[in-house]
Amino acid sequence: MITDSHGRHINYLRLAVTDRCNLRCAYCMPEEGLKWLQRSELLSYEEMLRLCRILVKEGIEKIRITGGEPFARKDIMGFLEALSQVEGLKELSITTNGVLTAPFVPELKRIGVKAINLSLDTLDKQRFYDITRRDELERVMDTLTALLQHEIEVKVNAVVMARRNTMDIIPMAELTKDNHVDVRFIEEMPFNGAGKQYEALEWDHVRILDEIRSRYPNIHKVKDAPHSTSYNYCIPGHKGNVGIIAAYTRSFCGTCNRIRITPHGRLKTCLYDEGVFDVRALLRSGMEDEAIAGALVAAVKGKAVDGWEAEHTRHAGNLVSESMATIGG
Ligand code: SAM
Ligand code: SF4
């Protein structure tokens, strides 16, 4: 079992398989100029599988594949299938922007992927283009339809941005009316690849909830799953719930059970740290699995108590501003 020095049991890995993406969401990366990792800098599928096997043996039960855009990496399905067969892994899930995902949905169902987070910030074609800088709303909606048809649990994640898509909060919440889908609204974080200081957050979780409540005064709180990062609410008569993720105000860190591996193989024990350990170097050093496991377990011990502390551990001048695609979200 992996535990940190605050007594938290760590059983959830978020693994970013690429930094590349076919969208350019304004909150995540600049339109151009990002330096993509070279192939040799990325963990290979073999390295990731080995790492996952090691971590599952140590107590990781759930793995979420993310990126960049996971389906933008060549041969991702072969990797997912191999990962789904790792002994001891209880849950394999994926976060995707949905542009390339629809054709893979039957295959995902077959290999046992039970839950997909679909990132979608608006249902309006023009605003989708303005936010993502690509005209791909239709293909994302096809993915949503395919996931629902195949009864794969789907959560839609929408980043709320002042002056960009706050008018979409209610239409997005309406998706929960007739569909078995949860819609979660995420506070915008500074991980935008722009390398500049973050401006004060205008739409925090309180304001987002007020907006939802103004349309649905009868919403009520439902019990959140253990380790949930979202505060969840039921709108009477709706099939799905709405949730709010206080990703910037960081009020959920106390029950954190997760670690992250970046596309270039750094261990992050908190979203807000700058990467605490070079796992890729270990995997390429000829070290035995047991020794790698020992090093990883020791590194996780030092996990910060919360995202604020993690942010303070950054080196001077290294502001939180890297693209979320280099972390995995
Ligand atoms: N490309 C995939 C996708 O968009 O679902 C997976 C990677 S993406 C980095 C993972 C999640 O991070 C997405 O739900 C995205 O909306 C979220 N995200 C990216 N940048 C963010 C930011 N600055 N603030 C809040 N959420 C962000
Ligand atoms: Fe790509 Fe996901 Fe970042 Fe959007 S949020 S640019 S889809 S990695």
Side-chain angles (χ1 to χ4, degrees):
M1 183 190 291
I2 310 176
T3 50
D4 71 7
S5 61
H6 310 286
R8 291 174 298 201
H9 174 195
I10 307 299
N11 63 356
Y12 177 15
L13 167 68
R14 295 173 71 102
L15 175 64
V17 295
T18 178
D19 59 334
R20 297 193 185 217
C21 191
N22 46 356
L23 297 184
R24 294 286 181 280
C25 304
Y27 48 77
C28 178
M29 58 173 78
E31 186 157 16
E32 48 191 43
L34 266 193
K35 271 203 212 120
W36 305 115
L37 292 169
Q38 295 304 303
R39 200 190 168 93
S40 61
E41 294 176 285
L42 283 178
L43 290 183
S44 68
Y45 285 139
E46 291 72 26
E47 287 169 334
M48 287 190 280
L49 262 180
R50 180 180 175 210
L51 177 60
C52 288
R53 285 200 186 99
I54 292 172
L55 285 168
V56 169
K57 254 198 193 155
E58 293 301 320
I60 292 293
E61 297 174 320
K62 172 176 170 182
I63 298 179
R64 173 172 295 280
I65 300 303
T66 176
E69 173 49 36
F71 291 94
R73 184 157 175 182
K74 206 166 157 245
D75 300 329
I76 185 71
M77 275 315 301
F79 170 67
L80 292 175
E81 177 150 25
L83 191 56
S84 71
Q85 289 161 7
V86 167
E87 212 183 308
L89 181 64
K90 294 193 179 145
E91 195 181 322
L92 175 60
S93 54
I94 304 170
T95 298
T96 174
N97 64 29
V99 174
L100 302 170
T101 319
F104 295 109
V105 169
E107 199 58 6
L108 294 172
K109 176 83 180 177
R110 184 184 68 75
I111 67 169
V113 172
K114 295 226 161 40
I116 301 267
N117 285 358
L118 182 66
S119 304
L120 173 63
D121 311 304
T122 177
L123 300 175
D124 179 89
K125 194 173 158 63
Q126 183 61 47
R127 281 199 292 280
F128 184 94
Y129 180 82
D130 293 342
I131 293 168
T132 67
R133 297 143 169 159
R134 297 288 185 273
D135 188 14
E136 296 286 10
L137 177 61
E138 256 171 58
R139 290 210 278 175
V140 180
M141 295 310 285
D142 289 347
T143 293
L144 178 58
T145 305
L147 291 169
L148 291 170
Q149 272 169 357
H150 286 80
E151 295 178 354
I152 295 182
E153 186 192 315
V154 49
K155 293 192 173 96
V156 168
N157 285 339
V159 178
V160 176
M161 288 155 285
R163 289 171 293 284
R164 275 202 189 259
N165 69 341
T166 54
M167 65 297 267
D168 290 297
I169 294 177
I170 301 305
M172 297 286 298
E174 275 292 297
L175 275 179
T176 63
K177 187 165 185 228
D178 298 321
N179 302 298
H180 288 283
V181 56
D182 291 346
V183 174
R184 289 133 27 116
F185 298 98
I186 309 177
E187 287 177 350
E188 185 180 3
M189 292 181 275
F191 297 101
N192 53 26
K196 58 175 192 235
Q197 185 84 46
Y198 188 57
E199 288 159 22
L201 183 69
E202 286 184 43
W203 281 77
D204 67 358
H205 61 107
V206 177
R207 188 164 177 195
I208 297 170
L209 181 58
D210 283 349
E211 174 73 9
I212 301 172
R213 204 172 255 137
S214 70
R215 170 68 180 81
Y216 310 106
N218 296 331
I219 59 166
H220 55 266
K221 184 84 188 63
V222 293
K223 196 169 185 301
D224 300 325
H227 312 293
S228 171
T229 52
S230 54
Y231 305 119
N232 299 293
Y233 300 84
C234 165
I235 302 173
H238 285 213
K239 290 184 174 157
N241 288 335
V242 292
I244 302 174
I245 302 182
Y248 181 70
T249 44
R250 293 166 242 185
S251 43
F252 47 67
C253 299
T255 57
C256 185
N257 63 340
R258 61 190 63 189
I259 53 174
R260 293 176 162 79
I261 302 285
T262 69
H264 63 310
R266 280 192 83 77
L267 171 71
K268 280 171 76 78
T269 55
C270 173
L271 182 57
Y272 283 86
D273 70 32
E274 57 188 354
V276 296
F277 195 74
D278 187 353
V279 184
R280 188 183 67 192
L282 284 198
L283 289 166
R284 294 181 184 176
S285 69
M287 230 170 164
E288 298 289 328
D289 286 2
E290 287 71 24
I292 293 177
L296 286 166
V297 169
V300 175
K301 275 266 178 279
K303 182 172 163 68
V305 69
D306 59 25
W308 299 104
E309 184 182 285
E311 192 173 343
H312 283 123
T313 64
R314 286 180 165 244
H315 289 90
N318 189 12
L319 291 177
V320 172
S321 67
E322 62 271 34
S323 167
M324 191 67 96
T326 65
I327 303 173

